[in-house]
């Protein structure tokens, strides 16, 4: 029998091996994974959600905070500019914001692939270390004769973006692979919903620092006059706002570094049956990881490598798997839906100034009122549509289903963007505000949440992280297009130096088309509600998704013996 385990962590439990007496590795795998799938929802699930969710809290905080910070950078570093003193140039503003998305694409693909190649445990926490380091480095940055503040901020935000990108596939699949089948969607949705809380906290911190420096800020009536004590106050403000983003990450870091490897990865990719069985039990018991008898472990690895049904990961198997339309269309559906979503999701932010004007939170009699209004206005926007949408998804995703919510969201968003676009010049400010809030709500009670959840469920374990990373990266490419292409497009025809957006209505019409395309790509994805990950991967005989080749139950003539015996260097 395997030895008992000791030690652990309260966020991710770690099981003991109850199945050492069972010789068949496939049966031991089935029983161990069934224990995770059927486990009653408990505090260990909640703790796991919080640890994974803090990463998304930090991600959203860092991304949202820069929208508040760039105006402060303008006050500090463009105070003496010849044109528009105190205002950051639009090119610099866009470059700083796009830098994060660029880094995120790299992180999503890179960490997604690495988590499938070397394991979830070895990667989890590393991305958070990168985020913490880059966040603190940003808050301590200053310009010099050799390099501008824009160059420094871009460098650190690309690095931070790599860490943020890594958090997408890792948090999704780790939550998915440890979740109970019945409430897996709610658990993953709760992790993603922490984005709304992160956005809320970024605005709260901005509001607090504005209140803290009220006297200094009140000495200047506008950005051009904000020098001396006002400029010093603003310089401190943006550093505090950015730097605070590292605090929650530091809290969660220990728990991320001490989680066990997910049993599904240990079974299917590492093919270590003894270790996977121990880790399965340790997850429920709150221990760091299982500690099997090493002799039995070596014997188990030798036995399972020959007898485990699940195919080994390799480039050849990856191409063969996704070369089949029934599998390739799912990846196309998840990646395409995320791409179309993010173009409009990030593009909707082009309306923020108009929305803040509609609710009376733009400008002010002095710099304190300007920054106060900016923070409060963003708080209202986040609370009105985004946060409720996230949590309605959490409440309904395991009963209504992922696919119906995503289809509904794309249909309603298509209608909303059509109304905004074609009726833009006849809409009142209150009407535009109402449509904006509805759009935010149905983004988050809709495809923004489900495009994160579904890729963490519908792919086989050996390629789950890679596939999620590719899907998420396609979304961030859409975000870059929204910021770099549609941002300048909305000002087409505007007089030089003007803030007018003559083409904004046409941009909204284009977004309606993207939402319609998202509806059609959603038709390619399966419904994942209340199905085990193995059933979704086609490994369970007698189910609609069953695929003997993918499950390793049939002769794999098109793949060959070489890929079945390939070494670790071949893994995807």
């Amino acid at each position: 029998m395997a030895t008992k385990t000791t030690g652990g962590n309260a966020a991710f439990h770690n099981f003991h091996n109850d199945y050492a007496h069972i010789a068949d590795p496939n049966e031991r795998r089935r029983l161990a994974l069934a224990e995770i799938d059927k486990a009653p929802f408990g505090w260990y699930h909640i703790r796991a959600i919080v640890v994974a969710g803090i990463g998304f809290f930090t991600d959203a905080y860092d991304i949202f905070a820069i929208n508040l910070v760039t105006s402060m950078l303008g006050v500090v570093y463009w105070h003496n500019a010849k044109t528009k003193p105190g205002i950051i140039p639009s090119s610099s503003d866009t470059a700083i914001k796009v830098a994060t998305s660029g880094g995120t694409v790299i992180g999503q693909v890179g960490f997604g692939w690495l988590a499938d190649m070397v394991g979830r445990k070895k990667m989890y926490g590393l991305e958070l270390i990168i985020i913490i380091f880059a966040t603190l480095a940003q808050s301590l940055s200053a310009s010099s004769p050799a390099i501008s503040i824009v160059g420094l901020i871009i460098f650190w935000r690309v690095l931070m973006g790599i860490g943020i990108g890594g958090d997408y596939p890792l948090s999704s699949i780790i939550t998915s692979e440890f979740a109970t089948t019945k409430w897996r969607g709610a658990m993953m949705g709760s992790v993603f919903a922490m984005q709304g809380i992160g956005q809320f906290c970024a605005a709260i911190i901005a509001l607090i620092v504005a209140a803290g420096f009220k006297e200094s800020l009140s000495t200047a009536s506008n950005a051009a006059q904000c020098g001396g004590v006002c400029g010093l106050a603003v310089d401190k403000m943006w550093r505090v706002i950015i730097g605070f983003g590292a605090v929650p990450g530091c809290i969660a870091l220990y728990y991320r570094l001490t989680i066990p490897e997910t049993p599904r990865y240990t079974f299917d990719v590492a093919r270590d049956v003894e270790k996977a069985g121990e880790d399965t039990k340790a997850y429920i018991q709150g221990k760091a990881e299982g500690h099997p008898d090493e002799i039995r472990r070596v014997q188990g690895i030798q036995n399972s490598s020959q007898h485990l049904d699940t195919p080994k990961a390799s480039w050849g198997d990856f191409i063969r798997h996704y070369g089949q339309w029934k599998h390739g269309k799912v990846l196309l559906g998840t990646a395409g839906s995320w791409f179309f979503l993010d173009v409009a999701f990030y593009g909707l932010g082009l309306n923020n100034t108009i929305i803040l004007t509609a609710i009376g939170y733009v400008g002010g009699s002095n710099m304190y009122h300007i920054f106060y209004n900016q923070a409060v206005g963003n708080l209202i926007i986040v609370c009105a549509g985004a946060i409720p949408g996230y949590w309605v998804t959490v409440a309904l995703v395991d009963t209504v289903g992922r696919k119906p919510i995503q289809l509904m969201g794309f249909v309603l968003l298509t209608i909303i963007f059509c109304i905004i676009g074609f009726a833009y010049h006849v809409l009142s400010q209150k009407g535009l505000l109402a449509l904006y809030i509805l759009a935010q709500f149905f983004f988050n009670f809709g495809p923004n949440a489900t495009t994160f959840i579904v890729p963490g469920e519908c792919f086989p374990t050996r390629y789950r992280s890679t596939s999620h990373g590719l899907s998420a990266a396609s979304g961030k490419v859409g975000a870059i297009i929204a910021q770099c292409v549609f941002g300048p497009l909305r000002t087409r025809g505007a007089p030089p130096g003007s803030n007018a957006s003559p083409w904004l209505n046409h941009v909204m019409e284009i977004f309606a088309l993207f939402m319609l395309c998202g509806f059609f790509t959603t038709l390619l994805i399966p419904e994942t509600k209340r199905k085990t990950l193995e059933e979704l991967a086609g490994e369970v005989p007698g189910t609609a998704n069953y695929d003997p080749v993918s499950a390793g139950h049939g002769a794999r003539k098109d793949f060959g013996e070489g890929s079945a015996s390939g070494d670790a260097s071949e893994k995807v």
Side-chain angles (χ1 to χ4, degrees), residues 25 34 52 67 110 139 150 152 178 239 246 366 370 431 438 496 523 556 559:
N67 295 322
S139 67
V150 174
L152 279 170
F178 275 121
R239 296 178 191 278
N366 57 46
I370 290 172
L438 283 173
L523 298 175
R556 300 164 70 231
F559 182 37

Side-chain angles (χ1 to χ4, degrees), residues 84 92 276 459 558:
K84 294 185 178 181
S92 299
F459 300 110
D558 56 331

Side-chain angles (χ1 to χ4, degrees), residues 43-72:
W43 282 108
Y44 49 89
H45 288 119
I46 295 173
R47 289 190 293 264
I49 290 168
V50 171
V51 172
I54 284 177
F56 270 87
F57 172 98
T58 304
D59 299 347
Y61 180 97
D62 289 332
I63 292 172
F64 190 78
I66 201 63
N67 295 322
L68 305 171
V69 162
T70 50
S71 60
M72 299 178 186

Side-chain angles (χ1 to χ4, degrees), residues 336-358:
S337 297
W338 212 331
F339 171 80
F340 293 127
L341 161 77
D342 271 9
V343 172
F345 182 73
Y346 282 84
L348 187 63
L350 302 173
N351 267 330
N352 274 7
T353 302
I354 297 170
I355 299 305
L356 292 175
T357 302

Side-chain angles (χ1 to χ4, degrees), residues 372-449:
Y372 174 88
N373 286 338
Q374 184 185 39
V376 173
N378 280 284
L379 272 175
I380 294 171
I381 289 174
V382 171
C383 292
I387 291 179
Y390 283 118
W391 292 102
V392 172
T393 296
V394 173
L396 298 179
V397 70
D398 282 311
T399 52
V400 175
R402 287 71 152 154
K403 193 170 182 177
I405 290 175
Q406 186 162 314
L407 287 169
M408 173 207 67
F410 275 127
V411 168
L412 293 176
L413 288 166
T414 301
I415 296 170
I416 290 170
F417 278 114
C418 280
I419 296 172
I420 295 175
F422 290 103
Y424 184 80
H425 295 296
V426 298
L427 283 171
S428 65
Q429 284 191 329
K430 290 182 179 179
L432 186 61
L433 173 62
L435 289 169
Y436 180 90
I437 291 173
L438 283 173
Q440 287 285 0
F441 179 81
F442 286 111
F443 268 128
N444 296 303
F445 176 44
N448 193 38

Side-chain angles (χ1 to χ4, degrees), residues 214-359:
K214 181 177 180 179
E215 291 187 7
S216 298
L217 295 173
S218 297
T219 61
S221 60
N222 55 54
Q225 297 176 7
C226 188
V229 292
C230 177
L232 179 61
V234 175
D235 193 30
K236 292 177 181 178
M237 286 169 60
W238 78 262
R239 296 178 191 278
V240 171
I241 293 170
I242 291 290
F244 185 82
V247 174
C250 292
I251 296 171
L253 185 58
Y254 163 76
Y255 293 98
R256 289 200 170 193
L257 292 174
T258 58
I259 69 163
E261 182 57 84
T262 68
R264 284 182 163 91
Y265 181 87
T266 310
F267 272 124
D268 294 353
V269 183
R271 306 176 87 78
D272 189 343
V273 175
E274 294 288 333
K275 178 66 171 172
E278 292 274 348
D279 286 346
T280 303
K281 279 297 178 191
Y283 169 63
I284 293 294
Q285 294 178 355
K287 301 180 188 295
E289 60 180 324
H291 297 283
D293 180 84
E294 290 300 320
I295 294 177
R296 293 179 63 88
R297 185 179 179 185
V298 171
Q299 292 173 342
I301 293 173
Q302 292 175 343
N303 182 53
S304 62
S305 64
Q306 298 175 3
H307 298 103
L308 266 179
D309 288 337
T310 52
K312 276 192 174 183
S314 70
W315 288 110
D317 181 61
F318 181 87
I319 294 170
R320 181 204 61 78
H321 181 78
Y322 286 113
Q324 301 176 69
W325 174 243
K326 62 182 176 181
H327 300 307
K329 72 174 184 179
V330 178
L331 182 58
L332 178 62
T334 58
S337 297
W338 212 331
F339 171 80
F340 293 127
L341 161 77
D342 271 9
V343 172
F345 182 73
Y346 282 84
L348 187 63
L350 302 173
N351 267 330
N352 274 7
T353 302
I354 297 170
I355 299 305
L356 292 175
T357 302
I359 60 178

Side-chain angles (χ1 to χ4, degrees), residues 347-355 357 420-421 424-425 432 486-508:
L348 187 63
L350 302 173
N351 267 330
N352 274 7
T353 302
I354 297 170
I355 299 305
T357 302
I420 295 175
Y424 184 80
H425 295 296
L432 186 61
F486 291 107
L489 185 62
R490 70 187 172 92
T491 61
R492 181 182 178 186
S498 170
N499 291 323
S501 303
W503 254 64
L504 188 56
N505 60 317
H506 299 305
V507 169
M508 296 298 114

